[in-house]
Amino acid sequence: MYKKAIISSIVSLLLIAGLLSFKIPDAPNAGLKLPTGFTANMIADNIGFARHLAVAPNGLIYVKLLKTKNGKGIIELKQNADGIAEVINRFGDYGGTGIYIKDGYLYASSNEDIFRYKLDAKNEVISPDQPEVIVKGLLNRREHDSKSIVLDNAGNIYVNIGAYSNSCQEEDRQPGSMGRAGCPILDSAGGIWQFRADKPDQGYANGIRYATGLRNVVGLDWNQQLDQLFVMMHGRDQLHDLFPALYTTQQNALLPAECLYALKKGDDCGWPYIYYDQLLHKKILAPEYGGDGKKEGGKNAKDPDVAFPGHLAPNGLLFYTGTMFPEKYRNGAFIAFHGSWNRAPEPQAGYFVVFQPYKNGKPDGKWEVFADGFSGSAQKTASGRADHRPCGLAQGPDGALYVSDDTKGAIYKITYNK
Amino acid sequence: MKSTIIFLSMLAFISVSVFAQTVHKPVTKPATVSPVVNGKKIYLQYCLSCHQADGGGVQNMNPPLIGTQYVLGDKARLIKIVLKGFNDAVEINGQTYTNAMPAFNYLKDKDIADVLSYIRSHFGNKASAVKPAEVSLIRGPIVKTPNKKKYTVRSKNT
């Protein structure tokens, strides 16, 4: 009895101590590791599954949520002087990924449709409940359903329609199942489609399949220096699971590459027939189409500008045009890697933002990790149980870099001070 | 230096793949292995990449196998999920998941029973074991297609 009382008071003391010590001071740079001179602040948190985001010329931030929260799928944030962004509006009764601001309009996508909202002089949405439907009825068969969007300078909008398949097998993701001949998925998915940005109610019949052979693109951007579309493709999954005799689990973890492509109209990036092997620097025939891990393929398929290690899941792409960051960042590419799940049983990887330098429109040197630490610890990275996962990227009017996290719903702002 | 590393990793890559190709061949184990050992083996080989080592799944893509009504509930429904695959956009513990789960109809009754018993008694789950006979009952009118080590379900309207 007496013993019990002592034990329970010790336990409660420990509990109280635990509660008191819980409020740790904010970690510097919101827990991120950055190059010298850069600072990160978490300006918002817990807003929902924050996919892509767009920053207006006056600093207002619009965030697209993967799933609606309290019935709303777009969050508008206003940045206050104290460095906190407060939610000032919620609208849009649909979940999704894409959001982009261009010429006085806010564009946003569900997993089937693209909408636009006219902005007023203060970059506020005029009729949040009456968007114009620009494109409707895009294919959504759940797998690879994000419809990421970007606009060019000639009145066109580009949208990714992901393939509802891993590698166009007869039985999706079934070990040993072979690829479908003349993969029929490519007719309506597995590519980037182009539509007019100002014409209502467009569908497949009004669009152009701008580029094909792209399994799934989530991160894409219009490169202003080159006036050209760039996309990051998610490479295929499960080489070992599906073809254990050809690939080890180690190879499965690293292969194939996640590729950055500089697209021109009519390009074919080769999915599902080939994948890019970043170790061999070659386009390799997919095992579903007779490959053995070494046979090359895809003579007419495009080569990537940059090939990153497998399964890191590039969900955000941004060519930096600002002047806040040092000269070396100008016109280079930031990529938000959402982090892997497909590397199991090997450790998972990613959950960081990398920077790929560009010079005169070509990759210039090796990519480097720019912002790391989203996951919370090396252990959380390895297990895949990350606290935060970077997803969207946007540039502010002053050149600050914004990163959204679609796990906890944080928004980070990264700035540079000489 | 950099090129040596690349060369070495290429060499390792090539030798590993050659090795993997010549030596490994999926071997079907005799049906005498203990259910626990076999269940874990099947889980690691066929389920792990999507549902993960801890059974926690992958956010928005692959659901957890922890405490869900599908894992703990009706065995017939659970067996069907594995035999026929699952792509129904259902809510699982309040969330939806977008990936597609393939059919595992090519696995033997014992393998399916063992892996289901395994997930029902791991990851914090506590539910009764599944017997091979229960799987064969659900599998019902199934035919082994010639030449392919693959099973197809003969006209079932579920």
Side-chain angles (χ1 to χ4, degrees):
Chain A
M1 181 61 210
Y2 178 61
K3 247 189 191 166
K4 257 192 189 161
I6 290 183
I7 290 172
S8 66
S9 51
I10 289 175
V11 167
S12 45
L13 273 176
L14 282 174
L15 272 175
I16 292 168
L19 283 175
L20 288 177
S21 65
F22 177 72
K23 214 182 162 331
I24 44 159
D26 289 345
N29 291 318
L32 301 188
K33 282 192 288 294
L34 299 161
T36 328
F38 288 91
T39 307
N41 284 298
M42 194 185 282
I43 58 170
D45 200 5
N46 294 315
I47 62 168
F49 295 125
R51 295 287 279 178
H52 286 173
L53 74 174
V55 184
N58 62 349
L60 282 178
I61 305 168
Y62 291 95
V63 187
K64 188 77 202 77
L65 301 184
L66 184 68
K67 291 169 184 174
T68 58
K69 197 175 174 185
N70 304 321
K72 305 295 179 198
I74 300 175
I75 305 256
E76 182 183 354
L77 297 164
K78 183 168 180 260
Q79 303 187 57
N80 294 332
D82 61 1
I84 295 298
E86 103 190 75
V87 177
I88 57 167
N89 201 0
R90 298 167 198 271
F91 57 98
D93 60 358
Y94 51 93
T97 290
I99 196 155
Y100 200 75
I101 293 175
K102 184 83 181 172
D103 300 334
Y105 284 93
L106 175 74
Y107 294 79
S109 66
S110 68
N111 292 333
E112 298 89 24
D113 309 315
I114 305 173
F115 305 92
R116 76 167 182 177
Y117 304 80
K118 193 160 174 50
L119 298 173
D120 66 14
K122 288 187 246 147
N123 295 299
E124 298 272 6
V125 168
I126 295 168
S127 322
D129 297 326
Q130 279 115 29
E132 266 182 273
V133 182
I134 298 299
V135 181
K136 58 185 184 185
L138 301 178
L139 200 68
N140 171 12
R141 293 218 198 153
R142 306 190 340 101
E143 196 175 349
H144 305 145
D145 56 0
S146 302
K147 302 293 181 291
S148 306
I149 51 172
V150 72
L151 278 83
D152 65 12
N153 299 309
N156 299 303
I157 187 163
Y158 301 81
V159 56
N160 164 67
I161 307 177
Y164 50 90
S165 170
N166 176 37
S167 53
C168 208
Q169 288 172 288
E170 271 167 44
E171 301 293 338
D172 190 23
R173 297 180 191 266
Q174 206 170 81
S177 174
M178 297 308 278
R180 299 167 72 182
C183 181
I185 292 172
L186 293 167
D187 292 349
S188 56
I192 302 286
W193 266 253
Q194 183 196 53
F195 294 93
R196 290 300 301 170
D198 58 353
K199 234 175 87 183
D201 296 326
Q202 299 168 90
Y204 274 103
N206 315 91
I208 291 169
R209 192 179 73 176
Y210 189 80
T212 188
L214 288 156
R215 178 177 173 273
N216 186 34
V217 167
V218 185
L220 77 183
D221 196 19
W222 191 260
N223 183 314
Q224 298 297 341
Q225 185 195 26
L226 302 168
D227 208 29
Q228 189 177 0
L229 179 64
F230 279 67
V231 302
M232 281 287 335
M233 186 177 89
H234 281 231
R236 50 97 30 95
D237 300 332
Q238 297 184 283
L239 281 168
H240 169 79
D241 287 353
L242 305 179
F243 293 90
L246 298 175
Y247 300 90
T248 64
T249 54
Q250 288 85 354
Q251 290 171 322
N252 178 81
L254 284 177
L255 296 174
E258 307 281 54
C259 293
L260 175 56
Y261 292 106
L263 292 182
K264 292 250 163 62
K265 190 173 172 175
D267 275 344
D268 181 349
C269 298
W271 181 90
Y273 311 107
I274 55 126
Y275 63 81
Y276 195 80
D277 183 323
Q278 77 278 13
L279 304 172
L280 300 174
H281 306 282
K282 279 176 181 161
K283 288 172 290 192
I284 301 294
L285 200 61
E288 288 84 358
Y289 290 90
D292 59 1
K294 292 182 282 286
K295 261 188 242 167
E296 293 180 52
K299 282 233 155 45
N300 301 318
K302 196 170 182 76
D303 279 309
D305 253 18
V306 188
F308 297 90
H311 313 301
L312 301 182
N315 276 7
L317 172 64
L318 179 104
F319 279 88
Y320 187 77
T321 57
T323 51
M324 177 195 274
F325 291 4
E327 178 64 31
K328 92 167 203 197
Y329 293 96
R330 199 111 356 108
N331 298 312
F334 285 103
I335 298 134
F337 283 106
H338 197 229
S340 70
W341 59 274
N342 228 273
R343 290 186 167 218
E346 299 297 309
Q348 306 293 353
Y351 316 99
F352 49 41
V353 176
V354 311
F355 178 71
Q356 169 63 54
Y358 264 74
K359 205 172 194 172
N360 304 322
K362 290 280 165 226
D364 180 40
K366 193 163 160 41
W367 57 273
E368 59 201 36
V369 175
F370 173 76
D372 202 355
F374 290 91
S375 77
S377 70
Q379 207 186 350
K380 288 177 180 180
T381 294
S383 69
R385 299 282 166 239
D387 291 345
H388 301 277
R389 304 181 76 176
C391 184
L393 297 171
Q395 187 184 311
D398 57 354
L401 179 70
Y402 293 80
V403 186
S404 56
D405 146 48
D406 69 356
T407 294
K408 289 255 173 68
I411 305 294
Y412 299 84
K413 181 179 186 177
I414 300 175
T415 52
Y416 181 78
N417 274 309
K418 269 184 220 117
Chain B
M1 177 60 195
K2 209 162 118 195
S3 56
T4 350
I5 292 175
I6 293 174
F7 175 71
L8 282 178
S9 53
M10 264 174 67
L11 205 71
F13 170 72
I14 291 166
S15 55
V16 164
S17 60
V18 167
F19 175 78
Q21 250 192 313
T22 47
V23 177
H24 280 285
K25 248 202 174 162
V27 186
T28 6
K29 282 265 164 73
T32 48
V33 218
S34 96
V36 183
V37 172
N38 189 46
K40 181 170 186 180
K41 191 195 118 209
I42 298 290
Y43 185 81
L44 296 182
Q45 188 173 347
Y46 295 102
C47 322
L48 170 92
S49 60
C50 292
H51 293 290
Q52 304 287 300
D54 59 3
V58 179
Q59 177 191 307
N60 296 316
M61 295 192 73
N62 307 311
L65 300 175
I66 305 170
T68 75
Q69 48 155 324
Y70 295 94
V71 173
L72 301 177
D74 180 30
K75 286 194 208 173
R77 179 175 63 184
L78 180 61
I79 293 166
K80 257 189 219 159
I81 286 175
V82 175
L83 279 175
K84 304 186 65 165
F86 203 36
N87 192 1
D88 286 353
V90 294
E91 251 190 33
I92 297 159
N93 290 0
Q95 289 293 337
T96 54
Y97 297 86
T98 59
N99 211 351
M101 172 163 155
F104 290 91
N105 49 6
Y106 54 89
L107 292 180
K108 289 192 291 203
D109 292 347
K110 175 172 164 56
D111 290 340
I112 292 179
D114 289 353
V115 75
L116 291 179
S117 300
Y118 178 81
I119 64 171
R120 278 161 69 88
S121 59
H122 284 78
F123 318 133
N125 297 329
K126 282 195 179 71
S128 62
V130 175
K131 301 264 170 6
E134 294 174 277
V135 179
S136 59
L137 202 71
I138 303 294
R139 195 193 290 265
I142 273 185
V143 70
K144 197 177 179 187
T145 48
N147 304 326
K148 278 191 195 169
K149 266 222 314 268
K150 217 180 190 187
Y151 295 90
T152 42
V153 177
R154 204 192 286 147
S155 69
K156 254 199 172 176
N157 303 321
T158 39

